[in-house]
Each structure stands twice: as C-alpha cells, then as structure tokens.
Amino acid sequence: MLKDLKLPEVRVYDSRNSMGEAAANGLSLAINAVLRKKNTVNIIFAAAPSQNEFLKALYYENIPWQSVNAFHMDEYVDLEDTAPQRFGNFLKERIFDHFDFRSVHYLNGNVDDLEKECDRYAKLLEDYPTDIVCMGIGENGHLAFNDPPVADFNDTRKVKVVDLDLACRQQQVNDGCFTSLDRVPAKALTLTIPVLLSAQVISCVVPGSTKAQAVLNTLTQPIDTAFPSTILREHKGTIVFLDPDSAKYIL
C-alpha cells in the first residue's frame, strides 16, 4: 500500500526498540547537519510513552548536547508541579537532567496568567527558531495538543491555551499516564501547528497498535484539521518512524 500513497518518508522497523534506535540515530545525523551550518541547534521534544524507546536510545548516540537548545511542545494546565505526568518533568527525568544541554526552556501551565506564559514562550521560539521537531501523533491525529476542534494550519499564535478533546484525554488514560479520565486535566498549553512545521526536520515516532488507525488516517485522509497530522504530508522534511503494530494497516 505504501507505494501507492503520496507520503512523507515512512520507515517501518521490526520492533519498537529498533524503531527508537533508528529515530535516535536520525536525530544525531540531523543535529550534525545543522551544526555544519551554524553553532547551535534548536529542538522541540514531545513527551509521551510513545517516545520512550527513542529517548532511551539517545544515550547511545554521540550527540553534542552542549550545542542544543531544548524546548517541549505542550504542557498541562493546573497539574501539580511535581506530577510525573507533567511533560516538562517527563523530559527532565529522561533526558534534560542527563545531558549537558546548552539550554532547556520549560513551558509552565501553572502560572496565574496563561496568556502571558504563552507570549513568553513564543518570544523564546522567535529568539531560537526551530531547526528540528521530535514528535508523535495522537490517536485522534493531534500534533502536540492541537486536537481536531482547535487545530489551525494557519494559526497566527505560536503558543496557545486549548481545551483538550475527550479522545485526547482518554488517550492519556489508555497510555497509563492517568488512572482515570477525571484525573486528566481539561486544559493545556500547546505550540501551534505552524511552529511545529517551521522546522527543517520533523522526526515523527509513532509506535503501537493504538496508533495504527491514526497512521492510516495521516497518510490517506484529506489534508484537513479533522485529521491534524495529515498536514505532515505537506512538509518535505518529515520522516515517520513506525513499528509493525502501528504500520499494520498500511503494509
């Protein structure tokens, strides 16, 4: 089926681990390519269980982290500062505290003035234009927290406050991040789709059978905010990394 579709580059691996290793190696190559042209590289990371194998594999890559400015793409609103589900904490535990980054910039969903926080982070993104995005795809096709009801391919904001779609909140339970739906925050901060697509390279890591339908939709549905991830087909620098479970409907 793949040969019949107009696609970004899609790579299917024989396991989640080999998929993660390939994505980590791909990030290493992309970083070095950017650093041949300038002194630093600006990367946006996703925080989700789907990224675990990729993040773990980064430990085995020889990456010049001291030249990397790091960002994350979304954050819950009103979730306690120490909660492991907070995306900043997720990435802090897995990579931000383990490598010598040039800088790490956290998005804070617990401030009193959320619009001011959006503006603060947007200014950082202007100061550090994105080179690489490491993302996943949600079960409902979301990119970051740009769920179908709020996704906008021409968004004028760089960062915004959003209400989370029910399907998105249920995914957080399905992933084991929360024990029940009522514990999942209803609001979040998210980088917008134009910011994510401004990167030269998008590394999209999407394992697991629960993502198989989203992968099929991404590659076959009309490019529309009803399926936000379909916009990746318009980005020539996108590489999609899949395992056998997530690729089962396209092989």
Side-chain angles (χ1 to χ4, degrees):
M1 182 178 181
L2 282 175
K3 61 181 173 47
D4 300 322
L5 300 174
K6 179 186 176 183
L7 303 172
E9 185 171 350
V10 178
R11 303 177 184 176
V12 182
Y13 297 87
D14 60 6
S15 70
R16 284 182 72 131
N17 283 335
S18 59
M19 175 211 63
E21 291 164 2
N25 181 252
L27 178 60
S28 178
L29 295 173
I31 288 171
N32 285 316
V34 173
L35 292 177
R36 284 194 289 271
K37 299 177 182 178
K38 59 177 190 160
N39 294 328
T40 59
V41 56
N42 307 318
I43 305 177
I44 298 170
F45 289 94
S50 64
Q51 306 300 299
N52 282 342
E53 290 80 11
F54 157 63
L55 296 173
K56 183 178 179 181
L58 291 176
Y59 286 76
Y60 302 96
E61 295 293 330
N62 184 22
I63 293 174
W65 295 109
Q66 68 278 6
S67 298
V68 175
N69 300 304
F71 296 79
H72 57 110
M73 61 180 59
D74 42 17
E75 186 58 272
Y76 291 113
V77 168
D78 291 334
L79 188 62
E80 55 267 28
D81 289 342
T82 58
Q85 297 96 332
R86 281 174 61 90
F87 293 147
N89 292 342
F90 180 98
L91 290 166
K92 190 176 193 298
E93 178 184 341
R94 285 159 178 78
I95 59 170
F96 289 165
D97 269 1
H98 295 274
F99 301 127
D100 186 23
F101 285 86
R102 185 173 186 270
S103 65
V104 175
H105 301 278
Y106 291 97
L107 189 57
N108 188 352
N110 287 350
V111 297
D112 292 332
D113 190 334
L114 292 175
E115 293 298 335
K116 186 174 181 179
E117 175 65 3
C118 290
D119 292 342
R120 180 191 72 84
Y121 214 69
K123 179 62 166 59
L124 286 170
L125 292 166
E126 291 174 3
D127 292 341
Y128 300 91
T130 306
D131 297 301
I132 301 169
V133 169
C134 300
M135 66 161 58
I137 295 173
E139 292 178 18
N140 64 354
H142 71 213
L143 302 179
F145 271 145
N146 295 281
D147 291 328
V150 299
D152 183 349
F153 295 158
N154 300 300
D155 220 314
T156 58
R157 300 288 306 273
K158 293 183 183 298
V159 188
K160 64 183 180 181
V161 184
V162 294
D163 294 316
L164 297 181
D165 192 19
L166 178 60
C168 172
R169 295 177 67 222
Q170 183 61 49
Q171 179 186 322
Q172 312 311 312
V173 180
N174 298 345
D175 284 347
C177 299
F178 294 88
T179 56
S180 60
L181 186 64
D182 64 299
R183 293 182 176 272
V184 183
K187 290 183 177 291
L189 306 180
T190 186
L191 276 59
T192 60
I193 288 175
V195 169
L196 300 176
L197 266 62
S198 70
Q200 301 168 37
V201 173
I202 296 177
S203 173
C204 191
V205 175
V206 195
S209 60
T210 60
K211 300 294 181 70
Q213 186 63 49
V215 168
L216 179 64
N217 292 340
T218 299
L219 303 178
T220 63
Q221 290 289 342
I223 297 175
D224 188 88
T225 55
F227 303 95
S229 56
T230 55
I231 194 63
L232 294 175
R233 304 209 309 263
E234 297 290 330
H235 189 280
K236 294 181 179 179
T238 295
I239 303 174
V240 180
F241 295 87
L242 305 176
D243 71 350
D245 291 332
S246 59
K248 65 183 179 181
Y249 294 149
I250 64 170
L251 295 178

